[in-house]
Amino acid sequence: MMPSFFIAHGAPLLAIENNVYTQAMNQLPSLLPHRPRAIVMFSAHWEAFEQNVGFVDTFPTIHDFGGFPRELYEIQYPAKGDSDIAKETLELLQKAGVPVNFDTTRGLDHGHWVVLRHVYPDADVPVVALSVNPNLTIEQQYAIGKALSPLREKDVLIIGSGGTVHNFSYIDMRETTGGASEWALEFEQWLEQTLTEWKVDDLAKYRELAPHAEKAVPVYGSEHFVPLVYVMGAADDARTAKRLHMSFRYGSLSHTIWQFGEAK
């Protein structure tokens, strides 16, 4: 049985850096019972009104950012797809009544490959890319993840890539020491208690209950937060959660790794 993970992808620069956070990502394969057959992965940077499932032989690498060093634009992450797992993913979603489509052209955006090149740098584990819909309710996002839970029994690793505190209006580019704003810490502390106690009802009301939610998750920018909900739902059968890592960049951009469910 595979756990599911939420992994913050932070700034694209993480792809070429060696720091405490990238080292934490490097260690994730050692937490698994064995090498996964495939990775099913939600990225905050693929938004769609209906659920999309990537059905691609070899994924192109999307460099969906600007103003960064040339080295970033030269990175390729040519992961193979897995048609059988993609089909099963689509069927599980259809069975749960989720409107779903195959996408046969879209590549992996930086939400996918910034994380994956630290976890599996050789791009040798097949990937099935999934979109997110921030317009759904927390309950609906959780239900989509729950529908995919049977994949974990087939050695499929489910990952959500985004950011729990992700608001460009509050980042401080001068803060390079790893320090964190008090409000960002308070939001993360509330989230830790809510997730570890598996309070899905409270999570659904995080905008009213969580301190500084309006700063941590912009009203019109929740796409980075919702991958967390999908992968939490994927471990509904286990209902165990633990934060494996937390650090910060620019004062409020959080780098968190969450594990849902146990590796067996």
Side-chain angles (χ1 to χ4, degrees):
M1 175 72 78
M2 288 286 174
S4 59
F5 288 110
F6 173 82
I7 307 173
H9 60 252
L13 283 171
L14 280 173
I16 56 174
E17 292 178 330
N18 178 15
N19 54 40
V20 293
Y21 184 49
T22 62
Q23 290 164 17
M25 286 192 279
N26 297 159
Q27 294 302 312
L28 289 181
S30 68
L31 304 179
L32 302 178
H34 43 258
R35 189 180 190 82
R37 169 183 170 177
I39 297 169
V40 167
M41 189 168 187
F42 295 92
S43 170
H45 290 279
W46 187 8
E47 295 182 63
F49 287 111
E50 287 193 347
Q51 184 63 55
N52 280 282
V53 177
F55 192 79
V56 179
D57 289 334
T58 301
F59 286 95
T61 303
I62 304 174
H63 301 91
D64 51 335
F65 44 76
F68 288 93
R70 180 183 179 87
E71 184 180 357
L72 279 179
Y73 302 94
E74 296 174 345
I75 290 173
Q76 296 294 313
Y77 193 86
K80 301 292 186 182
D82 187 314
S83 59
D84 290 337
I85 296 299
K87 289 176 183 176
E88 184 164 2
T89 298
L90 183 128
E91 290 167 359
L92 288 169
L93 293 168
Q94 289 176 328
K95 184 177 179 181
V98 178
V100 60
N101 303 301
F102 270 143
D103 184 291
T104 60
T105 60
R106 193 182 190 278
L108 299 180
D109 58 60
H110 81 272
H112 295 108
W113 59 262
V114 166
V115 168
L116 290 175
R117 75 188 309 263
H118 284 294
V119 181
Y120 290 106
D122 296 327
D124 53 356
V125 178
V127 175
V128 175
L130 297 181
S131 64
V132 301
N133 184 352
N135 297 304
L136 298 178
T137 64
I138 294 291
E139 293 89 349
Q140 289 171 317
Q141 292 153 355
Y142 186 95
I144 288 172
K146 183 178 178 180
L148 301 181
S149 181
L151 294 174
R152 295 174 40 239
E153 300 177 10
K154 298 186 177 183
D155 296 332
V156 175
L157 178 61
I158 301 176
I159 296 176
S161 170
T164 44
V165 179
H166 188 279
N167 189 338
F168 288 151
S169 297
Y170 291 94
I171 65 173
D172 180 0
M173 299 297 291
R174 298 166 298 179
E175 172 50 67
T176 59
T177 67
S181 300
E182 187 63 30
W183 64 265
L185 287 170
E186 290 178 5
F187 178 82
E188 290 288 2
Q189 289 164 358
W190 180 89
L191 189 62
E192 181 180 27
Q193 180 176 355
T194 301
L195 298 184
T196 54
E197 296 180 10
W198 212 269
K199 296 180 178 178
V200 180
D201 290 342
D202 285 359
L203 184 63
K205 296 183 286 188
Y206 77 94
R207 290 210 176 273
E208 300 95 68
L209 299 179
H212 314 293
E214 75 287 352
K215 289 185 177 182
V217 186
V219 173
Y220 298 106
S222 62
E223 75 288 336
H224 276 73
F225 185 76
V226 300
L228 175 82
V229 183
Y230 288 105
V231 295
M232 183 183 185
D236 179 79
D237 57 328
R239 297 201 165 200
T240 61
K242 55 185 174 183
R243 190 173 64 197
L244 303 180
H245 178 89
M246 182 175 73
S247 56
F248 286 84
R249 188 169 201 156
Y250 308 137
S252 64
L253 183 64
S254 65
H255 294 157
T256 57
I257 299 175
W258 278 91
Q259 177 180 326
F260 298 100
E262 300 296 331
K264 299 179 182 179

